[in-house]
Amino acid sequence: MNGYYPIVLQLRGKKIVVVGGGAVAERKVNGLLEAGADDVKVVSPIVTERIAALAEEGKLRLELRSYKESDACGARLLFAATGNEVVNAAVAADGERYGAFVNAADSYEDGDFLVPSVIRRGDLLLSVTATGASPSLAAAIKKELEAQYGEAYGKAASRLRRLRALTMKSKLDRVDKQAVLKLAAEEAVEAARTGVWTEEGNGKEESDEVWLNGLLHRVGLTGGVHNERNSE
């Protein structure tokens, strides 16, 4: 076993430091911002035009200087992406000292986590990694996933999020809620696969309330949904 444990992190409000300003650092920054990170600092004497532009737009803090140990203090995630093995090793060591999780661009052994290839479809997040064994394999699988799971799956995930919130507010018991949400997921996957919720599929999207009541009937609950709002 390689020791890696996959998780999905909430980055909003977390201090993140990227040490380095080249192409690798830029990729890290782009991924962080796409994930919604709102407290990103980049430390490097020289940066790409893209990183500089993001700093000008206020999307990250940029300090045009060399790395120093204090940069690691308080960081939740720390990226060593300078292209200099000595500096990256120092960043990794400081990260361990201060309790930050470190991603080392040039050495998997010196880091705590890997950044997988990611596909974003709204609320749906797909990721794949070969844990350093073969980035090319991960890229090939990502390409297959991108082709298989289009934007319709993101729409399905968003509808399921809303339906889940509506269902959890209802007075259904736990078992009935699980039955409804399971069927909803099956129907959403089928809708995404066949494209019936898209303009091309000419599908008419029913309201969440109508969908929920239809689900209730299909799982054998004929009384309809009764939540705090409609029971008043």
Side-chain angles (χ1 to χ4, degrees):
M1 300 297 292
N2 54 35
Y4 289 107
Y5 181 79
I7 61 173
V8 180
L9 297 175
Q10 173 57 261
L11 298 183
R12 287 196 294 269
K14 306 300 190 299
K15 180 180 177 181
I16 301 169
V17 178
V18 179
V19 183
V24 173
E26 181 180 309
R27 288 199 300 273
K28 306 295 187 184
V29 166
N30 285 336
L32 290 166
L33 296 180
E34 286 175 1
D38 55 8
D39 187 3
V40 178
K41 180 173 78 171
V42 175
V43 178
S44 179
I46 302 173
V47 298
T48 65
E49 292 182 2
R50 168 67 175 166
I51 292 176
L54 289 170
E56 286 289 332
E57 295 169 10
K59 295 182 178 179
L60 56 83
R61 290 177 290 123
L62 175 60
E63 298 189 12
L64 295 172
R65 57 171 174 78
S66 297
Y67 168 78
K68 54 187 179 182
E69 180 181 333
S70 59
D71 291 320
C73 183
R76 183 66 60 88
L77 299 182
L78 183 61
F79 291 81
T82 68
N84 183 312
E85 293 184 3
V86 175
V87 175
N88 285 352
V91 173
D94 292 340
E96 182 176 0
R97 183 178 303 111
Y98 287 103
F101 283 97
V102 177
N103 173 258
D106 60 355
S107 175
Y108 296 118
E109 293 77 13
D110 289 337
D112 300 301
F113 70 97
L114 304 176
V115 178
S117 295
V118 174
I119 302 160
R120 295 183 181 278
R121 299 286 188 254
D123 284 327
L124 181 64
L125 178 64
L126 305 175
S127 64
V128 58
T129 177
T131 62
S134 175
S136 296
L137 174 62
I141 294 174
K142 176 186 176 181
K143 187 174 181 179
E144 290 184 3
L145 291 173
E146 285 176 325
Q148 183 174 355
Y149 296 98
E151 295 299 332
Y153 285 87
K155 184 173 184 178
S158 295
R159 288 206 68 191
L160 287 168
R161 178 187 289 276
R162 298 197 306 268
L163 186 84
R164 179 179 179 82
L166 190 63
T167 303
M168 298 310 289
K169 291 179 182 178
S170 75
K171 294 183 177 180
L172 297 170
D173 63 29
R174 181 179 61 84
V175 173
D176 288 342
K177 287 176 180 177
Q178 289 177 342
V180 167
L181 295 176
K182 181 177 183 295
L183 180 58
E186 293 172 354
E187 291 188 2
V189 168
E190 181 65 13
R193 186 184 65 80
T194 59
V196 299
W197 285 349
T198 65
E199 292 182 4
E200 294 79 1
N202 296 317
K204 294 182 179 180
E205 183 179 316
E206 59 195 353
S207 71
D208 297 329
E209 288 81 4
V210 171
W211 187 22
L212 177 54
N213 280 311
L215 289 163
L216 289 170
H217 284 283
R218 290 191 284 281
V219 298
L221 301 171
T222 58
V225 62
H226 299 284
N227 55 32
E228 294 298 329
R229 182 180 63 186
N230 61 28
S231 64
E232 292 177 352

